Every structure is written in structure tokens, then in C-alpha cells.
Amino acid sequence: MLKQKSIIVLILLVIILLIASYVYQMKNNQVENFQAGSTSVIEYTNCNSTDECSEATNIIVTEFSTLITDNGAFRENGTIENVIINVSSSSPKKIPNFTFRSCRNLKSLVIEFGITEIGDEAFRYCINLVNITLSENLEKIGASAFSSCSNVEN
């Protein structure tokens, strides 16, 4: 009887490890697909300055540091084309006002997890923004957050 329980526990552990490995690979594949064909990707977690991201075409925000919580952290950045925001539960839940305002080359925005609010004018004048995917957790979109984003298709 003890031998059978040990075998069942071992099988369950193997199944759990296989599932964890699959989830990890899926997450990495999403990042690799995001990186494909790009000149640079910066996982924006506690950069020392937004200047470090001045050449980036793709930004992945995993944490809103005090730098990003200042209004307009990426404002008028001309190189950013794609943004993915997926923050932890301990990070602030709001994309601050003006954060990506006037990023004229921004084409794709994905807000995955953790964000409940988009600040005022956060994406205003992102005139080439075409694709937007918003989280189900989103509760509030600030005034003029997507104003003058006339090319949005979804």
C-alpha cells in the first residue's frame, strides 16, 4: 500500500513539473515572438533613466519604478513601436498620466495584468497606434487617454 502511494506521489510530482515547464516555455515563446524582427527589446524594470530606452523599439514594463511613476516618463519617444505592460501585484496599478503621450511610432499596446487604471492622456497623440489589447482587470480609463489615436483597428 505504501509503495502504491509513493508511486502516485511521484507521478503527481512529474506531472506538476511538466506543467510548470510548459508554462515557462509558453511565457518565453511569447517574449521571443515579441522580440522577433525587432532592433531591441528592453525589459523596463528599474532602469536608471529613460535615456536607456531611447533607442528601444519594444518595451516590456514589468514594474512601475519611481521613474515611470513620474508623469510623462516616455513622452514624445520617437522610437517605441510596441509596448507590453504586465506588472506584479506589488507594483502601482495605474499607468501614470502622459506616460506614452506623443509616442508617434507606437503601433501596438498590450496591457496584460495588474493594471486597473490608465491615467489622463497616457497614450494621447500616439497617432500610429493600431492594435490595443486591454486587461480584463481595467476599471478606469482617464480623460483623453487615447485621444487622437485615430488609426486604432481593435
Side-chain angles (χ1 to χ4, degrees):
M1 182 74 150
L2 183 61
K3 187 175 180 180
Q4 288 175 333
K5 286 184 180 180
S6 296
I7 291 172
I8 290 172
V9 169
L10 183 61
I11 290 171
L12 289 174
L13 286 173
V14 169
I15 290 171
I16 290 170
L17 288 173
L18 288 172
I19 291 171
S21 175
Y22 175 77
V23 169
Y24 177 79
Q25 288 175 346
M26 290 303 294
K27 183 177 180 184
N28 284 343
N29 284 341
Q30 287 176 344
V31 173
E32 287 173 16
N33 289 340
F34 180 66
Q35 293 173 345
S38 67
T39 56
S40 61
V41 174
I42 293 186
E43 184 167 340
Y44 195 88
T45 310
N46 293 325
C47 289
N48 293 323
S49 73
T50 51
D51 292 339
E52 292 179 21
C53 298
S54 62
E55 302 289 320
T57 56
N58 300 306
I59 304 270
I60 301 172
V61 179
T62 57
E63 182 178 325
F64 280 114
S65 65
T66 53
L67 177 67
I68 297 181
T69 56
D70 294 338
N71 289 343
F74 296 101
R75 187 178 192 163
E76 297 180 8
N77 182 303
T79 60
I80 297 173
E81 294 179 9
N82 303 291
V83 172
I84 294 177
I85 300 174
N86 187 349
V87 297
S88 68
S89 59
S90 62
S91 188
K93 306 293 185 212
K94 178 182 178 183
I95 298 173
N97 300 340
F98 314 110
T99 301
F100 292 94
R101 184 176 189 223
S102 298
C103 289
R104 297 188 184 275
N105 288 321
L106 182 61
K107 296 178 178 101
S108 175
L109 168 66
V110 177
I111 299 175
E112 291 180 337
F113 179 78
I115 297 297
T116 57
E117 182 177 351
I118 298 174
D120 297 341
E121 298 188 33
F123 297 94
R124 186 174 191 171
Y125 300 120
C126 293
I127 58 173
N128 289 307
L129 186 58
V130 176
N131 297 307
I132 300 175
T133 303
L134 300 176
S135 168
E136 294 175 5
N137 301 348
L138 195 60
E139 297 171 3
K140 181 180 177 190
I141 297 177
S144 301
F146 293 97
S147 178
S148 299
C149 298
S150 56
N151 292 316
V152 175
E153 294 176 0
N154 66 340

